[in-house]
Coordinates of all heavy atoms in Angstrom, one line a residue:
Chain S
L104 N 29.0 -7.7 8.8 CA 29.0 -7.4 10.2 C 28.6 -8.6 11.1 O 29.2 -8.9 12.1 CB 28.0 -6.2 10.4 CG 27.8 -5.8 11.8 CD1 29.0 -5.1 12.4 CD2 26.6 -4.8 11.9
L105 N 27.5 -9.2 10.6 CA 27.0 -10.3 11.4 C 28.0 -11.5 11.5 O 28.1 -12.2 12.5 CB 25.6 -10.8 10.9 CG 24.5 -9.9 11.1 CD1 23.2 -10.4 10.4 CD2 24.2 -9.7 12.6
K107 N 31.2 -11.1 11.3 CA 32.3 -10.7 12.3 C 31.8 -10.9 13.7 O 32.6 -11.4 14.6 CB 32.6 -9.3 12.0 CG 33.9 -8.8 12.7 CD 34.5 -7.6 12.0 CE 35.5 -6.9 12.9 NZ 36.3 -7.7 13.8
V108 N 30.5 -10.6 14.0 CA 30.0 -10.7 15.3 C 30.0 -12.2 15.7 O 30.4 -12.6 16.8 CB 28.6 -10.1 15.4 CG1 27.9 -10.5 16.7 CG2 28.7 -8.6 15.3
G111 N 33.6 -13.5 16.0 CA 34.5 -12.8 17.0 C 34.1 -12.9 18.4 O 34.7 -12.4 19.3
T112 N 32.9 -13.6 18.7 CA 32.4 -13.6 20.0 C 32.5 -15.0 20.6 O 32.4 -16.0 19.8 CB 30.9 -13.2 20.0 OG1 30.8 -12.0 19.3 CG2 30.4 -13.0 21.4
W114 N 30.7 -17.5 22.3 CA 29.3 -17.8 22.7 C 29.3 -18.8 23.8 O 30.0 -19.8 23.8 CB 28.5 -18.4 21.5 CG 28.5 -17.5 20.3 CD1 29.4 -17.4 19.3 CD2 27.5 -16.5 20.1 NE1 29.0 -16.4 18.4 CE2 27.9 -15.9 18.9 CE3 26.3 -16.1 20.7 CZ2 27.1 -14.9 18.3 CZ3 25.6 -15.1 20.1 CH2 26.0 -14.5 18.9
P115 N 28.6 -18.5 24.9 CA 28.5 -19.5 26.0 C 27.8 -20.8 25.4 O 26.7 -20.7 24.8 CB 27.7 -18.8 27.0 CG 27.0 -17.7 26.4 CD 27.8 -17.4 25.2
V131 N 4.4 -28.4 31.3 CA 4.5 -27.9 32.7 C 4.9 -26.5 32.8 O 4.3 -25.7 33.5 CB 5.4 -28.8 33.5 CG1 5.7 -28.2 34.9 CG2 4.9 -30.2 33.6
M134 N 2.1 -24.1 31.9 CA 1.1 -23.9 32.9 C 1.6 -23.4 34.3 O 0.8 -23.1 35.2 CB 0.4 -25.3 33.2 CG -0.6 -25.7 32.1 SD -2.0 -24.6 32.0 CE -2.1 -24.2 30.3
T135 N 2.9 -23.2 34.4 CA 3.4 -22.7 35.7 C 4.2 -21.4 35.4 O 3.6 -20.3 35.5 CB 4.3 -23.7 36.3 OG1 5.3 -24.1 35.4 CG2 3.5 -24.9 36.8
D136 N 5.5 -21.5 35.2 CA 6.3 -20.3 35.0 C 5.8 -19.3 33.9 O 5.8 -18.1 34.1 CB 7.7 -20.7 34.7 CG 8.4 -21.4 35.8 OD1 7.9 -21.3 36.9 OD2 9.4 -22.1 35.6
A137 N 5.4 -19.9 32.8 CA 5.1 -19.1 31.7 C 3.6 -19.0 31.5 O 3.1 -18.7 30.4 CB 5.7 -19.7 30.4
I138 N 2.8 -19.1 32.5 CA 1.4 -19.0 32.3 C 0.9 -17.7 31.9 O 0.0 -17.5 31.2 CB 0.6 -19.6 33.6 CG1 -0.8 -19.7 33.2 CG2 0.8 -18.6 34.7 CD1 -1.6 -20.7 34.1
F139 N 1.6 -16.6 32.4 CA 1.2 -15.3 32.0 C 1.4 -15.0 30.6 O 0.4 -14.6 29.9 CB 1.8 -14.2 32.9 CG 1.4 -12.8 32.6 CD1 0.0 -12.5 32.7 CD2 2.3 -11.9 32.2 CE1 -0.4 -11.2 32.4 CE2 1.8 -10.6 31.8 CZ 0.5 -10.3 31.9
P140 N 2.6 -15.2 30.0 CA 2.7 -15.1 28.6 C 1.7 -15.9 27.8 O 1.2 -15.5 26.7 CB 4.2 -15.5 28.3 CG 4.9 -15.4 29.6 CD 3.9 -15.5 30.6
F143 N -1.5 -14.2 27.9 CA -1.4 -13.0 27.2 C -1.4 -13.2 25.7 O -2.0 -12.4 25.0 CB -0.1 -12.3 27.7 CG 0.0 -10.8 27.3 CD1 -0.6 -9.9 28.2 CD2 0.6 -10.4 26.2 CE1 -0.5 -8.6 27.9 CE2 0.7 -9.1 25.9 CZ 0.1 -8.1 26.8
L146 N -4.8 -13.0 24.3 CA -5.3 -11.7 24.0 C -4.8 -11.2 22.6 O -5.5 -10.6 21.8 CB -4.8 -10.7 25.0 CG -5.6 -10.7 26.3 CD1 -4.9 -9.7 27.3 CD2 -7.0 -10.2 26.1
V147 N -3.5 -11.5 22.3 CA -2.9 -11.1 21.0 C -3.7 -11.8 19.9 O -4.1 -11.2 18.9 CB -1.4 -11.5 21.0 CG1 -0.8 -11.1 19.6 CG2 -0.6 -10.8 22.1
L149 N -6.7 -12.9 20.0 CA -8.1 -12.4 20.0 C -8.2 -11.1 19.2 O -9.1 -10.9 18.4 CB -8.6 -12.2 21.4 CG -10.1 -11.7 21.6 CD1 -11.0 -12.7 20.9 CD2 -10.4 -11.5 23.0
V150 N -7.2 -10.2 19.5 CA -7.3 -9.0 18.8 C -7.0 -9.2 17.3 O -7.6 -8.5 16.4 CB -6.3 -7.9 19.4 CG1 -4.9 -8.2 19.1 CG2 -6.7 -6.5 18.8
I153 N -10.4 -10.2 15.9 CA -11.3 -9.1 15.8 C -10.9 -8.2 14.7 O -11.7 -7.7 13.9 CB -11.3 -8.4 17.2 CG1 -11.9 -9.2 18.3 CG2 -12.1 -7.1 17.1 CD1 -11.8 -8.6 19.6
G154 N -9.6 -7.9 14.6 CA -9.1 -7.0 13.6 C -9.4 -7.6 12.2 O -9.9 -6.8 11.3
I157 N -13.1 -7.1 11.5 CA -13.5 -5.7 11.3 C -13.1 -5.2 10.0 O -13.8 -4.6 9.2 CB -12.9 -4.8 12.4 CG1 -13.7 -5.0 13.7 CG2 -13.0 -3.3 12.0 CD1 -13.1 -4.3 14.9
L158 N -11.8 -5.5 9.6 CA -11.3 -5.0 8.4 C -11.7 -5.7 7.1 O -11.8 -5.1 6.1 CB -9.7 -5.0 8.4 CG -9.1 -4.1 9.5 CD1 -7.6 -4.2 9.4 CD2 -9.5 -2.6 9.3
I159 N -12.1 -6.9 7.2 CA -12.4 -7.7 6.0 C -13.9 -7.8 5.8 O -14.3 -7.9 4.6 CB -11.8 -9.1 6.2 CG1 -10.3 -9.0 6.5 CG2 -12.0 -9.9 4.9 CD1 -9.5 -8.3 5.4
R160 N -14.7 -7.8 6.8 CA -16.1 -8.1 6.6 C -16.8 -7.1 5.6 O -16.4 -5.9 5.5 CB -16.9 -7.9 7.9 CG -18.2 -8.7 8.0 CD -18.7 -8.8 9.4 NE -19.0 -7.5 9.9 CZ -19.5 -7.3 11.1 NH1 -19.7 -8.3 11.9 NH2 -19.8 -6.1 11.5
E161 N -17.7 -7.7 4.8 CA -18.3 -6.9 3.8 C -19.1 -5.7 4.4 O -19.7 -5.8 5.4 CB -19.3 -7.8 3.0 CG -19.6 -7.4 1.6 CD -20.6 -8.4 1.0 OE1 -20.5 -9.6 1.3 OE2 -21.4 -7.9 0.2
R162 N -19.0 -4.6 3.6 CA -19.7 -3.4 4.2 C -21.2 -3.5 4.0 O -21.7 -3.9 3.0 CB -19.2 -2.2 3.4 CG -17.8 -1.8 3.6 CD -17.4 -0.6 2.8 NE -18.2 0.5 3.3 CZ -17.9 1.2 4.3 NH1 -16.8 0.9 5.0 NH2 -18.6 2.3 4.7
V164 N -23.1 -0.8 5.3 CA -23.6 0.5 5.5 C -23.0 1.5 4.5 O -22.3 1.1 3.6 CB -23.3 1.0 6.9 CG1 -24.1 0.3 7.9 CG2 -21.9 0.9 7.2
L165 N -23.4 2.7 4.6 CA -23.0 3.8 3.7 C -21.5 3.9 3.6 O -20.8 3.6 4.6 CB -23.5 5.1 4.1 CG -25.0 5.2 4.1 CD1 -25.5 6.5 4.8 CD2 -25.5 5.3 2.7
A167 N -18.0 5.5 4.1 CA -17.6 6.4 5.2 C -17.3 7.8 4.7 O -17.4 8.8 5.4 CB -16.4 5.9 5.9
E168 N -17.0 7.9 3.4 CA -16.6 9.2 2.9 C -17.8 10.1 2.5 O -17.6 11.2 2.2 CB -15.7 9.1 1.7 CG -14.4 8.3 1.9 CD -13.4 9.1 2.8 OE1 -13.7 9.1 4.0 OE2 -12.5 9.6 2.3
A171 N -21.8 14.0 5.7 CA -22.6 13.6 6.9 C -24.1 14.0 6.7 O -24.9 13.3 7.2 CB -22.0 14.4 8.1
A174 N -25.9 11.3 4.9 CA -25.9 10.1 5.7 C -27.0 10.3 6.7 O -27.7 9.3 7.0 CB -24.6 9.8 6.3
A180 N -31.1 5.5 12.0 CA -30.6 4.6 13.1 C -29.1 4.8 13.1 O -28.4 5.0 12.1 CB -31.0 3.2 12.8
D181 N -28.5 4.6 14.3 CA -27.1 4.7 14.4 C -26.4 3.7 13.6 O -25.4 3.9 12.9 CB -26.7 4.6 15.9 CG -26.4 6.0 16.5 OD1 -26.3 7.0 15.6 OD2 -26.3 6.1 17.7
E182 N -26.8 2.5 13.8 CA -26.1 1.4 13.2 C -27.1 0.4 12.6 O -27.8 -0.3 13.3 CB -25.3 0.6 14.3 CG -24.0 0.1 13.8 CD -23.1 -0.3 14.9 OE1 -23.3 0.2 16.0 OE2 -22.2 -1.1 14.6
E184 N -29.0 -2.6 11.1 CA -28.9 -4.0 11.5 C -28.1 -4.8 10.4 O -28.2 -4.5 9.2 CB -30.3 -4.6 11.5 CG -30.3 -5.9 12.3 CD -30.4 -5.7 13.8 OE1 -31.0 -4.7 14.2 OE2 -29.7 -6.5 14.5
Chain E
L7 N 5.4 -25.5 42.9 CA 5.3 -24.9 41.5 C 5.2 -23.4 41.7 O 4.6 -22.9 42.7 CB 4.1 -25.4 40.8 CG 4.2 -26.8 40.3 CD1 3.0 -27.2 39.6 CD2 5.4 -27.0 39.4
N8 N 5.7 -22.6 40.7 CA 5.6 -21.2 40.7 C 4.3 -20.7 40.0 O 4.3 -20.5 38.8 CB 6.9 -20.7 40.0 CG 6.9 -19.2 40.1 OD1 6.1 -18.5 40.7 ND2 7.9 -18.6 39.3
L9 N 3.3 -20.6 40.8 CA 2.0 -20.3 40.2 C 1.5 -18.9 40.6 O 1.9 -18.4 41.7 CB 0.9 -21.3 40.7 CG 1.0 -22.7 40.1 CD1 0.1 -23.7 40.8 CD2 0.7 -22.7 38.6
P10 N 0.8 -18.2 39.7 CA 0.3 -16.9 40.0 C -0.7 -17.0 41.2 O -1.4 -18.1 41.3 CB -0.5 -16.5 38.8 CG 0.0 -17.3 37.7 CD 0.5 -18.6 38.3
F18 N -1.8 -6.2 40.2 CA -2.0 -6.1 38.8 C -3.4 -5.6 38.4 O -3.9 -5.8 37.3 CB -1.8 -7.6 38.2 CG -1.4 -7.6 36.8 CD1 -0.3 -7.0 36.3 CD2 -2.2 -8.4 35.9 CE1 0.1 -7.1 35.0 CE2 -1.8 -8.4 34.5 CZ -0.6 -7.8 34.1
F25 N -8.2 -5.1 30.7 CA -8.5 -6.2 29.9 C -10.0 -6.7 30.2 O -10.7 -7.1 29.3 CB -7.5 -7.4 30.3 CG -6.1 -7.1 29.8 CD1 -5.1 -7.5 30.6 CD2 -5.9 -6.5 28.6 CE1 -3.8 -7.2 30.2 CE2 -4.6 -6.2 28.2 CZ -3.5 -6.6 29.0
F28 N -12.2 -4.5 28.3 CA -12.1 -4.9 26.9 C -13.1 -6.0 26.6 O -14.0 -5.9 25.7 CB -10.7 -5.3 26.5 CG -10.6 -6.2 25.3 CD1 -10.9 -5.6 24.0 CD2 -10.2 -7.5 25.4 CE1 -10.8 -6.4 22.9 CE2 -10.0 -8.3 24.2 CZ -10.4 -7.7 23.0
L32 N -16.8 -5.7 24.6 CA -17.1 -6.5 23.4 C -18.5 -7.2 23.6 O -19.4 -7.2 22.8 CB -16.1 -7.6 23.2 CG -14.8 -7.2 22.5 CD1 -14.0 -8.5 22.3 CD2 -15.1 -6.6 21.2
K39 N -27.2 -4.0 21.2 CA -27.0 -3.5 19.8 C -27.5 -2.1 19.6 O -28.5 -1.6 20.3 CB -27.8 -4.4 18.9 CG -27.0 -5.6 18.4 CD -27.7 -6.3 17.3 CE -26.8 -7.5 16.9 NZ -27.6 -8.7 16.5
R40 N -26.8 -1.3 18.8 CA -27.2 0.0 18.4 C -27.1 1.0 19.6 O -27.6 2.1 19.5 CB -28.7 0.1 18.0 CG -28.9 -0.6 16.7 CD -30.3 -0.3 16.3 NE -30.8 -1.1 15.2 CZ -31.7 -0.7 14.3 NH1 -32.3 0.5 14.5 NH2 -32.0 -1.5 13.3
L73 N 3.6 -12.6 38.7 CA 3.2 -13.5 37.6 C 4.4 -14.3 37.0 O 4.8 -14.2 35.9 CB 2.6 -12.7 36.5 CG 1.3 -12.0 36.9 CD1 0.8 -11.0 35.9 CD2 0.2 -13.0 37.2
M76 N 7.5 -12.4 35.3 CA 7.4 -12.0 33.9 C 7.3 -10.5 33.9 O 7.7 -9.8 32.9 CB 6.2 -12.6 33.2 CG 6.5 -14.1 32.9 SD 7.7 -14.3 31.6 CE 8.0 -16.0 31.7
V77 N 6.5 -9.9 34.8 CA 6.3 -8.5 34.9 C 6.7 -8.0 36.3 O 6.7 -8.8 37.2 CB 4.9 -8.0 34.5 CG1 4.6 -8.3 33.1 CG2 3.9 -8.7 35.4
G111 N -23.4 6.5 9.8 CA -22.8 5.6 8.8 C -21.5 5.0 9.2 O -21.0 4.2 8.5
R112 N -21.0 5.4 10.3 CA -19.7 4.8 10.7 C -20.0 3.4 11.4 O -21.1 3.2 12.0 CB -19.0 5.7 11.8 CG -18.6 7.0 11.3 CD -17.6 7.0 10.3 NE -17.1 8.4 10.0 CZ -16.5 8.7 8.8 NH1 -16.3 7.8 7.9 NH2 -16.1 9.9 8.6
E113 N -19.0 2.5 11.2 CA -19.3 1.2 11.7 C -18.5 0.9 13.0 O -17.5 1.6 13.3 CB -18.8 0.2 10.7 CG -19.4 0.3 9.3 CD -18.7 -0.5 8.3 OE1 -17.7 0.0 7.8 OE2 -19.1 -1.6 8.1
H114 N -18.8 -0.2 13.6 CA -18.1 -0.7 14.7 C -17.8 0.3 15.8 O -16.6 0.4 16.3 CB -16.7 -1.3 14.2 CG -16.9 -2.3 13.1 ND1 -17.6 -3.4 13.2 CD2 -16.5 -2.3 11.8 CE1 -17.6 -4.1 12.1 NE2 -16.9 -3.4 11.2
K115 N -18.8 1.0 16.2 CA -18.5 2.1 17.2 C -18.2 1.4 18.6 O -17.3 2.0 19.3 CB -19.8 2.9 17.4 CG -20.1 3.7 16.1 CD -21.4 4.3 16.1 CE -21.7 4.9 14.8 NZ -23.0 5.5 14.6
L124 N -8.1 -2.4 25.4 CA -7.1 -3.5 25.2 C -5.8 -2.9 25.0 O -4.8 -3.3 25.6 CB -7.5 -4.4 24.0 CG -6.5 -5.5 23.7 CD1 -6.5 -6.5 24.8 CD2 -6.9 -6.2 22.4
V131 N 1.4 -3.2 30.2 CA 2.3 -4.4 30.3 C 3.6 -4.1 29.7 O 4.6 -4.6 30.2 CB 1.6 -5.7 29.7 CG1 2.5 -6.9 29.8 CG2 0.3 -6.0 30.5
I139 N 10.3 -12.5 26.5 CA 9.0 -13.0 26.0 C 7.9 -11.9 26.1 O 7.2 -11.6 25.2 CB 8.5 -14.3 26.7 CG1 9.5 -15.4 26.3 CG2 7.1 -14.6 26.3 CD1 9.1 -16.7 27.0
M140 N 7.9 -11.3 27.3 CA 6.8 -10.3 27.6 C 7.1 -9.1 26.8 O 6.2 -8.4 26.3 CB 6.7 -10.0 29.1 CG 6.0 -11.0 29.9 SD 4.6 -11.8 29.1 CE 3.5 -10.4 29.0
L143 N 5.8 -10.0 23.3 CA 4.3 -10.2 23.3 C 3.6 -8.9 23.5 O 2.6 -8.6 22.8 CB 3.9 -11.2 24.3 CG 4.0 -12.7 23.9 CD1 3.5 -13.5 25.1 CD2 3.1 -13.0 22.7
S144 N 4.0 -8.1 24.5 CA 3.3 -6.9 24.7 C 3.4 -5.9 23.6 O 2.4 -5.2 23.2 CB 3.7 -6.2 26.0 OG 5.1 -6.0 26.0
L147 N 1.0 -7.0 20.9 CA -0.4 -6.7 21.2 C -0.7 -5.3 20.9 O -1.7 -5.0 20.2 CB -0.7 -7.0 22.7 CG -2.1 -6.7 23.2 CD1 -3.1 -7.6 22.5 CD2 -2.2 -6.8 24.7
L150 N -0.6 -4.9 16.9 CA -1.7 -5.4 16.2 C -3.0 -4.6 16.4 O -3.7 -4.3 15.4 CB -2.0 -6.9 16.7 CG -1.1 -7.9 16.1 CD1 -1.3 -9.3 16.8 CD2 -1.4 -8.1 14.6
T151 N -3.2 -4.1 17.6 CA -4.3 -3.3 17.9 C -4.2 -2.0 17.1 O -5.2 -1.5 16.5 CB -4.5 -2.9 19.4 OG1 -4.1 -4.1 20.1 CG2 -5.8 -2.5 19.7
V154 N -5.2 -2.3 13.4 CA -6.7 -2.3 13.2 C -7.2 -0.9 13.3 O -8.0 -0.5 12.5 CB -7.3 -3.3 14.2 CG1 -8.8 -3.3 14.0 CG2 -6.7 -4.7 14.1
G157 N -6.8 1.5 10.4 CA -7.6 1.3 9.2 C -9.1 1.3 9.5 O -9.9 0.7 8.8
W158 N -9.4 2.1 10.6 CA -10.8 2.0 11.1 C -11.8 2.5 10.0 O -12.9 2.0 9.9 CB -10.9 2.9 12.4 CG -12.0 2.4 13.2 CD1 -13.2 3.1 13.4 CD2 -12.1 1.3 14.0 NE1 -14.0 2.3 14.2 CE2 -13.3 1.2 14.7 CE3 -11.2 0.2 14.3 CZ2 -13.7 0.2 15.5 CZ3 -11.5 -0.8 15.1 CH2 -12.8 -0.8 15.7
R160 N -13.1 2.2 6.9 CA -12.8 1.3 5.9 C -13.1 1.8 4.5 O -12.5 1.3 3.5 CB -13.6 0.0 6.1 CG -13.0 -0.8 7.3 CD -13.5 -2.2 7.2 NE -15.0 -2.2 7.2 CZ -15.7 -3.1 6.6 NH1 -15.1 -4.1 6.0 NH2 -17.0 -3.1 6.6
G161 N -14.0 2.8 4.4 CA -14.3 3.3 3.1 C -13.2 4.2 2.5 O -13.2 4.6 1.4
S162 N -12.3 4.6 3.4 CA -11.4 5.6 3.1 C -10.0 5.0 2.6 O -9.5 4.2 3.3 CB -11.1 6.5 4.3 OG -9.8 7.1 4.2
F185 N 15.4 -10.9 15.8 CA 16.7 -11.4 15.5 C 17.7 -10.9 16.6 O 18.5 -11.7 17.1 CB 17.1 -11.0 14.1 CG 18.5 -11.6 13.7 CD1 18.6 -13.0 13.7 CD2 19.5 -10.8 13.3 CE1 19.8 -13.5 13.3 CE2 20.7 -11.3 12.9 CZ 20.9 -12.7 12.9
L189 N 19.9 -13.0 19.4 CA 21.4 -12.9 19.6 C 21.7 -12.6 21.1 O 22.7 -13.1 21.7 CB 22.0 -11.9 18.7 CG 22.0 -12.2 17.2 CD1 22.6 -11.1 16.5 CD2 22.8 -13.5 17.0
G192 N 21.6 -15.6 23.0 CA 22.7 -16.4 22.7 C 24.0 -15.9 23.4 O 24.8 -16.7 23.9
L193 N 24.1 -14.6 23.5 CA 25.3 -14.0 24.1 C 25.3 -14.2 25.7 O 26.3 -14.4 26.3 CB 25.4 -12.5 23.8 CG 25.8 -12.1 22.4 CD1 25.6 -10.7 22.2 CD2 27.3 -12.5 22.2
A215 N 29.8 -7.0 19.2 CA 28.6 -7.8 19.3 C 27.5 -7.1 20.1 O 26.3 -7.0 19.7 CB 28.9 -9.1 19.9
T218 N 26.0 -4.3 18.0 CA 25.2 -4.9 16.9 C 23.8 -5.3 17.5 O 22.8 -4.9 16.9 CB 25.9 -6.1 16.3 OG1 27.2 -5.7 15.9 CG2 25.1 -6.5 15.0

Side-chain angles (χ1 to χ4, degrees):
Chain S
L104 177 69
L105 289 176
K107 191 158 164 31
V108 168
T112 311
W114 301 87
V131 171
M134 282 294 134
T135 55
D136 293 342
I138 190 157
F139 181 60
F143 196 82
L146 281 175
V147 177
L149 181 60
V150 72
I153 293 173
I157 285 176
L158 294 179
I159 305 302
R160 204 167 62 179
E161 206 180 322
R162 292 180 64 80
V164 289
L165 295 169
E168 298 292 75
D181 258 349
E182 212 164 344
E184 198 80 40
Chain E
L7 290 178
N8 184 7
L9 286 169
F18 204 55
F25 294 139
F28 160 66
L32 277 185
K39 270 189 182 146
R40 295 189 190 205
L73 299 170
M76 289 290 168
V77 291
R112 300 290 187 204
E113 303 167 275
H114 307 301
K115 296 169 185 173
L124 179 66
V131 177
I139 291 183
M140 285 319 296
L143 275 180
S144 57
L147 178 65
L150 279 171
T151 322
V154 180
W158 205 257
R160 286 198 306 151
S162 154
F185 185 57
L189 288 181
L193 286 168
T218 309

